[in-house]
Amino acid sequence: MESLKIIFWVALFIIFYSYLGYGILLFGIIKLRRLFGLGKPFTGNEDYEPDVTLFVAAYNEKDYLEEKVSNSKNLNYPQEKVTQLWVTDGSDDGTPELLKKYKEVSVLHESARNGKIAAMNRGMKHVKTPIVIFSDGNTNLGKDSIKEIVKLFRNPKVGCVSGEKRIYSKDADSAAGAGEGMYWKYESQLKKWDAELYSVVGAAGELFAIRTELWQEVEKDTLLDDFMISLRVAMKGNTIQYNPDAYAIENASANVKEELKRKIRISAGGIQSVVRLAPLLNFFKYGTLSFQYISHRVLRWTLTPLLLLLLIPINFILTQNEGLFEFGVFSLLFWAQVLFYAASLLGWFLENRQIRLKILFVPYYFFIMNLSVFLGFGRYLKGNQSVNWERAKRGGTTSEVIA
C-alpha cells in the first residue's frame, strides 16, 4: 500500500506540473531573472526592414482568397518589400485561376494533391527573401503583424518567430469556442514566459516565420509541420521567439466534435514529433530547450494522459483504508475527481442541447484534450493519418485541417 501511495503522489505531481506547475515555476524563474536584471529584450538595429515572403500553402480556398489577399496587401509594411506566394497544389475549385488575377500574388500550382508538406517543400525552393512568413489561407493577420515579427529578427540568435493564434469570440460561445479560447489565452502566457526564459517550444501554424537560410525540408508524412520546422530551427542553436502583437484570427471549431477531430490530428502529430525529435530529450546537449520541451509538450502528449487514466482506480484503492465516505485526504481527492468528470459529462449533455454554461466548458474541454491523446496515439500506431487537406467546420465556416 505504501508503494501505491508513492505512485499516486508522483502521478498527481506530474499531472499538476504538466498543466499548472510548469507555469508557476516559469513565473517564479522569470520574476527572479527580472529582479537580477537578466533577460532584457534585445533592441538591435531599429532600421532593420528586410524583404519578406508571405507564404500560403492552400487547398480549395476560393471562398477566402479575396479577403486573404486584401488583408495581406493592407498590412502595415512597405508593400514593395512583401511577396505574396501561394502554393495551391491539388486545388480544383478555381483557386489558382482566381489568384492569378492579382498582380501582387505569385502562384505555384500542380494538379496532384500531395498534401501541405509537399507544397511547402516545393514552394520554399522559390523563396528569395531572407525572411519567410507562413500563414493559413483562411486566417486574417493583424495590421502590424509583419512589422512585429521582423522586429524580433533584429537579434541574430533568433531563427524563428511565432505569432499568436486568436479565436473569434461570440456572445454565446459553444464549449469548443469557450474552451479553446481560454486554452489559447493560457498558452499565450506560457509562450511569453518561455520566450523570456530562452525559447518558445514550437510555433503556431496560423502565423510563424523563419530565416529562409535555416529551412530544412520536412518529411512528406509530417503531421505538425509548424512544430517540426520551428523546433529543428531551435535545435541548430537558434531560438524561437514569440510576439502576441503579431497575430492571426480564426473562428473556433463549430462544435466539440469538430474540435476533437482537430485535437486527434494534433495528438497523432505530437506523438510523431516526439519520436522524430528524440535527440531533443537530451538535457546534456540542449539544456534549457530540453527542459522547456519536456515540461511544456512531451509530458502532455505522452505520460500525463496515461496518469490521469490510472489516477482514479489507484485513488479508489487508497480510500479503502480511510473509508470512501470519510473526510480523509484520499477520499476527498477521489470525490474531487468524480466531481470533475461529472462536470465534464454535464458539459457534454448541455452542449448537445445548446445550453450555454461556460463554467462547465473548462472540464469538458480538458477531458476532450486528453481523450484526443489516446485516440491520436491509436491513429499514429495504425499509420492511417493522411497529410492531405480536408475540411472541418469552424464557427459556421470551414477551415483546413489534416484529418
Side-chain angles (χ1 to χ4, degrees):
M1 191 65 73
E2 287 302 318
S3 60
L4 203 59
K5 287 181 181 179
I6 294 173
I7 293 172
F8 175 82
W9 289 116
V10 170
L12 189 62
F13 171 79
I14 291 173
I15 293 167
F16 174 79
Y17 177 77
S18 298
Y19 290 105
L20 293 174
Y22 176 60
I24 295 170
L25 179 61
L26 262 184
F27 176 75
I29 294 173
I30 294 303
K31 284 293 185 182
L32 284 174
R33 284 169 59 85
R34 290 175 183 173
L35 185 64
F36 291 102
L38 301 174
K40 292 181 179 179
F42 185 94
T43 54
N45 178 12
E46 295 185 2
D47 296 324
Y48 182 65
E49 199 175 69
D51 291 349
V52 302
T53 295
L54 279 178
F55 189 115
V56 180
Y59 170 70
N60 286 354
E61 293 286 7
K62 71 174 183 179
D63 294 335
Y64 304 98
L65 65 85
E66 183 178 353
E67 184 178 1
K68 178 67 176 180
V69 171
S70 175
N71 171 254
S72 300
K73 186 169 63 174
N74 290 295
L75 296 176
N76 186 18
Y77 200 79
Q79 281 303 300
E80 68 275 10
K81 295 188 174 185
V82 179
T83 298
Q84 289 194 51
L85 176 63
W86 286 63
V87 187
T88 59
D89 294 0
S91 293
D92 55 10
D93 68 340
T95 292
E97 292 75 22
L98 289 171
L99 282 170
K100 288 175 182 177
K101 295 179 180 179
Y102 300 96
K103 62 180 182 180
E104 61 268 57
V105 175
S106 298
V107 183
L108 297 174
H109 178 70
E110 281 189 354
S111 57
R113 185 185 177 194
N114 295 314
K116 185 177 182 180
I117 298 302
M120 294 177 76
N121 285 335
R122 189 170 75 86
M124 280 301 297
K125 296 174 183 176
H126 299 267
V127 175
K128 306 300 180 185
T129 59
I131 303 294
V132 57
I133 302 172
F134 300 99
S135 177
D136 288 344
N138 63 339
T139 59
N140 287 327
L141 306 184
K143 195 168 184 63
D144 292 324
S145 291
I146 297 179
K147 182 181 289 187
E148 294 297 331
I149 282 174
V150 165
K151 184 189 299 182
L152 295 182
F153 279 114
R154 295 172 187 169
N155 186 341
K157 291 183 179 179
V158 175
C160 175
V161 175
S162 176
E164 181 177 75
K165 173 185 174 180
R166 295 186 182 179
I167 303 296
Y168 283 115
S169 61
K170 299 180 179 136
D171 293 334
D173 273 330
S174 66
E180 190 179 0
M182 285 183 274
Y183 171 76
W184 278 106
K185 286 178 183 177
Y186 178 61
E187 278 297 298
S188 179
Q189 187 58 61
L190 287 184
K191 287 179 180 179
K192 291 175 187 176
W193 291 336
D194 271 334
E196 190 170 345
L197 177 62
Y198 177 66
S199 174
V200 178
V201 189
E206 291 76 12
L207 177 61
F208 76 104
I210 66 169
R211 296 188 190 275
T212 305
E213 63 183 4
L214 298 176
W215 167 262
Q216 299 177 74
E217 282 207 359
V218 185
E219 295 88 340
K220 63 182 181 180
D221 63 339
T222 299
L223 303 176
L224 297 185
D225 54 274
D226 48 358
F227 191 76
M228 292 293 294
I229 291 167
S230 56
L231 275 180
R232 281 178 171 167
V233 166
M235 290 172 72
K236 288 183 174 181
N238 308 281
T239 67
I240 307 166
Q241 291 301 302
Y242 175 65
N243 191 338
D245 293 326
Y247 59 89
I249 310 176
E250 67 175 30
N251 289 310
S253 299
N255 51 55
V256 174
K257 181 180 178 181
E258 295 297 328
E259 178 65 4
L260 179 60
K261 181 193 294 185
R262 192 178 73 88
K263 287 291 185 186
I264 291 172
R265 185 264 299 176
I266 292 173
S267 297
I271 299 297
Q272 182 192 64
S273 300
V274 170
V275 173
R276 291 185 175 173
L277 297 174
L280 191 50
L281 301 174
N282 186 348
F283 277 100
F284 298 102
K285 184 174 182 179
Y286 294 103
T288 302
L289 182 61
S290 289
F291 161 69
Q292 293 178 297
Y293 172 59
I294 294 170
S295 299
H296 197 160
R297 298 296 183 189
V298 176
L299 288 177
R300 291 192 193 181
W301 282 336
T302 56
L303 189 57
T304 302
L306 177 62
L307 293 177
L308 276 167
L309 186 65
L310 294 176
L311 202 64
I312 284 187
I314 293 175
N315 200 170
F316 179 76
I317 294 170
L318 291 173
T319 60
Q320 303 311 301
N321 283 344
E322 57 187 30
L324 189 60
F325 297 99
E326 300 296 330
F327 290 103
V329 173
F330 292 111
S331 59
L332 287 174
L333 287 173
F334 175 79
W335 288 113
Q337 290 183 77
V338 171
L339 181 63
F340 182 86
Y341 288 111
S344 301
L345 183 62
L346 182 58
W348 167 80
F349 178 82
L350 294 178
E351 169 69 8
N352 286 341
R353 282 156 181 75
Q354 301 297 307
I355 301 173
R356 312 302 189 195
L357 193 58
K358 285 189 177 183
I359 193 171
L360 298 177
F361 291 167
V362 174
Y364 184 24
Y365 190 79
F366 181 83
F367 174 77
I368 290 297
M369 281 177 58
N370 285 283
L371 174 62
S372 70
V373 174
F374 288 100
L375 298 177
F377 184 69
R379 184 175 289 189
Y380 171 74
L381 290 179
K382 291 177 182 177
N384 61 353
Q385 182 85 3
S386 171
V387 296
N388 286 332
W389 287 293
E390 294 184 16
R391 294 284 175 184
K393 294 178 182 177
R394 275 191 173 274
T397 63
T398 57
S399 172
E400 284 180 358
V401 298
I402 304 171

